[in-house]
């Protein structure tokens, strides 16, 4: 199946007053039409910056310094998004129409002085050749699709008049109003309770089947990944450390970081008072990335003189399963 999005060797950096931040370092993955690609990792691993790089919304101090981001249009044409002017007409014609994004915090993304209807209609009027009355009708229909009650009245509500779950639904309505071919969902359910979280995920799956879009789901919740993703990319400190189909990843995790993440998931049957498994330490400062494998200071399988000196190459274990670890297919063989 032809790729919808193909990211190769992406490197994104930020120039700050404290120094150069290498936020994304040599990341590669692809998304197919109708596929859900899960991207997981702790906070600070570069997941959101990867998404921002795709849409060229990095801000004035962010820069893509290497790699390609190839988006394939429905008519067969393609474009390298990494080469487009971040404020140019071409990327603006793609944002919202071909590729849409749901951000982590709806209150940070919804403008408080405009109604949700006005904010949904803005994208419709920008990308579709319709008048305001038609745009309002499309917005009402989309609000109904995402499960907002009484959409004819709710369309004129301001963000502060909606609950957290309703704000997130309004964000999804805004993202899907122009029926994009790719949806980037960045922690779309983090702030919601479990019931609303399930409703939002089910809604995204229903709309995906209806529209046929690909989804790039960014989350730290491996339970959500297990339920929704087809393929998973595990990121650590700006790098891809493992990539595999979701069942393969859960049944045969090969990178020590992936295994540590899976071991930290709460399990049914855990005895009262029993401590959950944790990963020692924290994600290092992005200004001072460790030498060799970036995970080695926290790795239970650390090999002195190897892991701290050699940046592990990506090894293809199978045609769909790749790992960046010297314990797999490198000088030191332990897994695989």
């Amino acid at each position: 199946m032809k790729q919808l999005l193909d990211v190769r060797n992406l490197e994104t950096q930020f120039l700050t007053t404290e120094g150069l931040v290498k936020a994304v370092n040599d990341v590669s993955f692809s998304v197919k039409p109708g596929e859900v690609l899960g991207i997981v990792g702790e906070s600070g691993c570069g997941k959101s910056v990867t998404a921002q790089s795709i849409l060229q919304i990095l801000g004035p101090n962010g820069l893509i310094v290497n790699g390609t981001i190839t988006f394939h249009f429905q008519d067969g044409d393609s474009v390298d998004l990494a080469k487009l002017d971040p404020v140019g007409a071409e990327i603006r014609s793609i944002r919202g129409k071909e590729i849409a994004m749901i951000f982590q915090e709806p209150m940070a993304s919804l403008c408080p002085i405009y109604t949700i209807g006005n904010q949904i209609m803005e994208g419709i009027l920008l990308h579709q050749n319709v008048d305001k009355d038609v745009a309002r009708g499309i917005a009402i229909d989309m609000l109904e699709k995402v499960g907002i009650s009484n959409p004819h009245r709710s369309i004129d509500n301001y963000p502060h008049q909606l609950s957290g779950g309703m704000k997130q639904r309004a964000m999804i309505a805004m993202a899907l109003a122009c029926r994009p071919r790719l949806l980037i969902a960045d922690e779309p359910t983090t702030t919601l309770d479990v019931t609303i979280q399930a409703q939002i995920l089910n809604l995204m799956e229903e709309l995906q089947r209806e529209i046929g879009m690909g989804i790039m789901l960014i989350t730290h919740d491996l339970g959500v990944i297990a339920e929704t993703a087809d393929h998973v990319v595990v990121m650590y400190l700006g790098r891809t450390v493992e990539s595999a189909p979701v069942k393969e990843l859960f049944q045969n995790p090969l990178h020590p970081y992936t295994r540590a993440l899976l071991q930290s998931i709460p399990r049914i049957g855990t005895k009262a008072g029993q401590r959950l498994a944790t990963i020692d330490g924290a994600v290092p400062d992005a200004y001072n990335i460790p030498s060799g494998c970036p995970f080695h200071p926290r790795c239970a399988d650390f090999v002195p003189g190897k892991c701290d000196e050699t940046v592990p190459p990506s090894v293809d274990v199978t045609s769909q399963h790749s790992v960046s670890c010297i314990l797999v297919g490198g000088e030191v063989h332990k897994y695989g």
Side-chain angles (χ1 to χ4, degrees):
M1 185 185 296
K2 187 175 181 181
Q3 309 294 350
L4 176 59
L5 180 77
D6 191 37
V7 177
R8 292 290 152 221
N9 308 115
L10 177 65
E11 294 183 22
T12 302
Q13 299 179 355
F14 291 89
L15 184 60
T16 72
T17 54
E18 297 181 36
L20 187 67
V21 176
K22 296 180 179 180
V24 177
N25 196 347
D26 198 26
V27 166
S28 298
F29 60 84
S30 60
V31 185
K32 297 182 179 70
E35 178 186 49
V36 178
L37 174 73
I39 299 186
V40 300
E42 295 167 280
S43 298
C45 285
K47 306 185 301 296
S48 295
V49 175
T50 299
Q52 293 164 9
S53 300
I54 292 169
L55 285 173
Q56 288 274 29
I57 52 173
L58 295 166
N61 65 330
L63 182 66
I64 297 171
V65 298
N66 190 39
T68 59
I69 307 171
T70 306
F71 180 76
H72 298 275
F73 295 97
Q74 200 159 13
D75 62 7
D77 288 342
S78 62
V79 63
D80 183 359
L81 303 176
K83 289 184 168 56
L84 299 184
D85 180 356
V87 295
E90 190 169 2
I91 189 66
R92 293 186 66 186
S93 69
I94 293 172
R95 293 186 196 124
K97 181 182 180 183
E98 300 286 349
I99 306 175
M101 185 166 177
I102 302 171
F103 296 90
Q104 289 188 36
E105 177 48 62
M107 274 311 292
S109 305
L110 294 170
C111 181
I113 64 172
Y114 292 102
T115 65
I116 59 169
N118 281 336
Q119 295 180 65
I120 296 171
M121 289 168 59
E122 182 180 12
I124 297 170
L125 292 169
L126 177 64
H127 295 298
Q128 301 183 40
N129 186 26
V130 297
D131 59 26
K132 287 186 177 181
D133 289 339
V134 173
R136 182 179 174 88
I138 294 172
I140 290 172
D141 181 60
M142 189 54 66
L143 288 172
E144 185 174 18
K145 272 186 167 58
V146 300
I148 289 184
S149 59
N150 198 352
H152 289 83
R153 185 176 65 183
S154 299
I155 191 172
D156 295 317
N157 284 346
Y158 290 87
H160 73 271
Q161 295 175 298
L162 303 178
S163 66
M166 290 300 104
K167 289 188 190 75
Q168 197 68 306
R169 289 172 187 265
M171 279 289 299
I172 294 173
M174 189 185 307
L176 299 180
C178 294
R179 304 175 75 86
R181 297 184 63 233
L182 175 64
L183 175 67
I184 302 174
D186 188 359
E187 302 279 9
T189 59
T190 298
T191 60
L192 306 178
D193 63 52
V194 176
T195 303
I196 300 298
Q197 180 184 84
Q199 291 175 358
I200 293 295
L201 292 173
N202 289 337
L203 170 65
M204 288 171 56
E205 288 181 341
E206 289 171 12
L207 293 173
Q208 178 195 22
R209 287 193 294 270
E210 181 182 330
I211 298 174
M213 65 185 176
I215 295 179
M216 181 175 151
L217 177 62
I218 299 170
T219 182
H220 63 272
D221 190 331
L222 286 166
V224 170
I225 288 295
E227 289 292 325
T228 59
D230 300 302
H231 197 94
V232 187
V233 170
V234 182
M235 290 186 66
Y236 185 79
L237 204 57
R239 289 184 175 273
T240 300
V241 297
E242 188 161 6
S243 175
V246 63
K247 289 184 179 178
E248 173 74 10
L249 189 86
F250 277 78
Q251 292 173 1
N252 186 33
L254 294 178
H255 197 282
Y257 180 58
T258 307
R259 295 199 311 277
L261 287 176
L262 291 173
Q263 289 166 2
S264 67
I265 299 175
R267 285 172 170 76
I268 295 174
T270 302
K271 296 179 181 179
Q274 182 178 338
R275 290 179 62 87
L276 295 174
T278 59
I279 306 175
D280 290 339
V283 178
D285 193 324
Y287 297 104
N288 299 295
I289 296 176
S291 60
C293 173
F295 185 60
H296 85 259
R298 307 173 66 192
C299 184
D301 299 316
F302 167 59
V303 179
K306 299 290 186 182
C307 298
D308 52 347
E309 295 181 1
T310 304
V311 177
S314 180
V315 176
D316 291 330
V317 180
T318 69
S319 61
Q320 292 186 296
H321 192 167
S322 62
V323 189
S324 296
C325 179
I326 65 169
L327 302 177
V328 183
E331 299 175 57
V332 181
H333 297 270
K334 187 173 181 178
Y335 308 109

